[in-house]
Amino acid sequence: MKSSKFFFVAAAFVLLALWPLMAGQYGVDLVTKIMVFAIFALSLELLVGSTGLVCFGQAAFFGIGAYATVLLTPQDGAPSLLWLLPACVLAAALYALLVGALSLRTKGVYFIMVTLAFAQMAYYVVHDTPLGGGTDGIYLMAKPVVLGTLLDLDKPMAFYGFTLACLTAVFGFLTLLLRSRFGRALAGIRVNEQRMRATGFSTYPYKLAAFVISGGMAGLAGFLFAVKDGFVNPELISWHLSGEVLIMIILGGLGHLRGALIGAFAFALLQEFFKSEAIFGEFAKHWHLGLGLSIIACVALLPRGLVGVPEQVITRLRGRSGRVRDDSVVEVSHESV
């Protein structure tokens, strides 16, 4: 089973690496956007699927990373990626430290509401003040580079490769993290936090560390989004985006890193499918309806998410073969009688 999971992940990343050779400009741009949201989904998976903390304010860290990219970019030239990227990730991580230090003292629905409240505070800061440009947003004046023109993120293919490298690094980092002692502690907190405390673990520092790491990765996704689009607006911090990324990891399957990848791709492709006027004509204007019904169907029919589809199919096939064997035994026994 582990070998099949590794093969699936390896095949997915190889396909992503080869995708620009097979797709046109639109296909490359679409997959680049999906990979950015896959990093965003992985950041939330660390909290929800691995630690059991349902955060409804993840968009705040994503938006802070995006706004930091624009605000820290000088007006007179392209900034260096070597300092801009860490600065944006650090800005998101620092806000996550503030939010986590206060919100992690609550539990359950109260934790959800507190994280939502902090996200809305960040939203209104950029929406109602000149700092964030208000509802008009802000344009990115120049995209970052590395050592002159060694890596120019203004070029679509260079940015695609850089985004893929970031996604690979985040996935690899989380894989190692969850297999470490720290990751095992998070798994124990998710299953039974009270028992973890009884065994001598102080769970608060572990949860806070996971919250900060998650916020930093969401900031990385925000940085990539701002560089890709060259524009940021308050919608990047709205609760709608927090809900969308939560749907992604539920759709893919909670508790699995590959589920976050699958969920991000499935959600984005479903959006593109229902928005297609070539397929749905005038109904494409009401694409939210089709998308919502599809997600409801997936949740109802696939309780383990898309990542659990192969297991469900194998279980049903084994069940059918078992019933066939039982029926054949009954027939033989009747014949013998």
Side-chain angles (χ1 to χ4, degrees):
M1 183 64 72
K2 289 184 178 181
S3 60
S4 62
K5 294 176 182 178
F6 174 79
F7 176 78
F8 170 81
V9 173
F13 279 103
V14 170
L15 180 61
L16 288 174
L18 297 177
W19 179 250
L21 303 177
M22 302 178 287
Q25 183 177 356
Y26 174 76
V28 171
D29 184 73
L30 175 62
V31 174
T32 302
K33 182 184 76 171
I34 296 175
M35 288 194 294
V36 171
F37 279 102
I39 296 174
F40 189 24
L42 283 169
S43 73
L44 186 60
E45 171 62 29
L46 176 62
L47 287 183
V48 181
S50 302
T51 316
L53 298 172
V54 181
C55 175
F56 209 64
Q58 197 73 2
F61 314 127
F62 180 86
I64 287 173
Y67 268 90
T69 304
V70 176
L71 294 174
L72 294 176
T73 298
Q75 302 290 327
D76 55 351
S80 172
L81 180 71
L82 299 180
W83 69 263
L84 183 61
L85 175 58
C88 296
V89 172
L90 180 62
L94 287 176
Y95 190 67
L97 177 62
L98 171 65
V99 175
L102 298 175
S103 62
L104 287 172
R105 301 186 183 278
T106 61
K107 293 182 180 180
V109 68
Y110 301 103
F111 173 79
I112 297 174
M113 297 307 295
V114 170
T115 55
L116 175 61
F118 273 105
Q120 289 301 101
M121 287 169 57
Y123 172 83
Y124 284 111
V125 166
V126 299
H127 186 275
D128 296 341
T129 65
L131 175 67
T135 56
D136 295 331
I138 318 175
Y139 285 92
L140 180 65
M141 303 306 297
K143 296 188 178 182
V145 295
V146 177
L147 299 178
T149 59
L150 180 63
L151 179 62
D152 187 359
L153 298 185
D154 197 24
K155 299 177 180 178
M157 296 306 298
F159 185 72
Y160 181 93
F162 181 73
T163 304
L164 177 58
C166 289
L167 176 60
T168 306
V170 168
F171 190 90
F173 170 74
L174 287 179
T175 300
L176 294 176
L177 183 71
L178 295 179
R179 290 181 179 179
S180 67
R181 184 176 182 271
F182 178 80
R184 301 299 181 188
L186 295 183
I189 292 171
R190 184 190 72 245
V191 175
N192 194 323
E193 184 177 356
Q194 209 168 13
R195 184 173 294 178
M196 289 292 292
R197 289 176 177 173
T199 57
F201 278 89
S202 179
T203 59
Y204 180 80
Y206 284 93
K207 292 191 295 183
L208 182 59
F211 201 91
V212 173
I213 293 171
S214 174
M217 289 190 297
L220 170 62
F223 165 83
L224 294 172
F225 185 90
V227 174
K228 176 187 174 298
D229 279 11
F231 174 75
V232 295
N233 61 28
E235 293 303 313
L236 298 180
I237 310 182
S238 69
W239 64 270
H240 302 88
L241 187 58
S242 294
E244 286 183 7
V245 72
L246 187 59
I247 291 173
M248 288 178 194
I249 62 174
I250 294 173
L251 185 62
L254 289 175
H256 306 277
L257 294 179
R258 65 188 188 282
L261 297 180
I262 295 172
F265 274 83
F267 185 84
L269 293 177
L270 280 173
Q271 275 188 327
E272 292 297 318
F273 176 70
F274 287 109
K275 285 180 179 179
S276 174
E277 293 186 1
I279 299 175
F280 293 100
E282 290 295 323
F283 184 76
K285 297 178 181 178
H286 310 287
W287 62 271
H288 292 90
L289 178 60
L291 178 64
L293 292 174
S294 299
I295 293 173
I296 292 172
C298 288
V299 172
L301 300 175
L302 305 171
R304 297 181 182 177
L306 293 173
V307 76
V309 170
E311 186 177 348
Q312 278 188 282
V313 172
I314 293 173
T315 302
R316 290 184 179 181
L317 290 177
R318 286 177 178 174
R320 288 181 181 178
S321 61
R323 287 195 296 270
V324 169
R325 285 195 298 270
D326 292 341
D327 292 341
S328 62
V329 170
V330 171
E331 290 177 1
V332 170
S333 63
H334 281 304
E335 290 176 1
S336 62
V337 173

